[in-house]
Amino acid sequence: ANVGSTEESIFELKKISNSIPRDQDSLLNLAALQEQNRLFEDAITTRQKIAILDPYNATNYLQLGRTFKYLGDYNSMDQMREKILSFASKTNEGKSAAAELVR
């Protein structure tokens, strides 16, 4: 991806995540690459898969919240903020959620 093979990188990461569905590293890299390339709906789907595998990953929820905010989906953004604050309010992610994920 760093040398311009974005489509191929996305394809390979999807292939890896399909063959090893619990591999969070490939999913995290896939989500980041999708976001960088403005494939936001795909990134949301990928991050939702991550949330199933790791329901206490506040960083993942924060990025989901940022994406929802960017897309103007404020109800989903609010849900991500509340989810983060419910278990990680004292962390950096919790502080970022409280500051960033507002209308």
Side-chain angles (χ1 to χ4, degrees):
N2 290 337
V3 295
S5 299
T6 302
E7 289 179 26
E8 184 178 344
S9 298
I10 289 173
F11 176 79
E12 291 299 324
L13 284 167
K14 282 182 180 179
K15 196 163 76 171
I16 292 167
S17 67
N18 287 333
S19 66
I20 311 170
R22 299 194 61 78
D23 180 12
Q24 290 184 51
D25 290 333
S26 65
L27 289 171
L28 288 166
N29 285 312
L30 177 59
L33 192 55
Q34 290 166 328
E35 290 159 352
Q36 289 171 5
N37 288 279
R38 306 179 60 79
L39 302 169
F40 296 116
E41 296 303 320
D42 293 339
I44 289 168
T45 299
T46 302
R47 289 198 177 277
Q48 289 170 334
K49 289 178 184 177
I50 296 166
I52 291 167
L53 296 172
D54 186 1
Y56 295 101
N57 186 335
T59 303
N60 183 57
Y61 292 127
L62 179 59
Q63 191 56 44
L64 259 173
R66 288 172 175 154
T67 300
F68 287 133
K69 182 176 183 177
Y70 178 80
L71 295 174
D73 184 349
Y74 297 113
N75 289 331
S76 295
M77 177 197 72
D78 290 341
Q79 290 174 0
M80 292 303 103
R81 183 186 64 248
E82 293 306 314
K83 184 176 287 289
I84 295 165
L85 295 178
S86 74
F87 70 89
S89 61
K90 305 256 188 262
T91 65
N92 288 336
E93 290 84 357
K95 293 171 187 172
S96 292
E100 293 178 38
L101 302 181
V102 294
R103 298 177 192 217

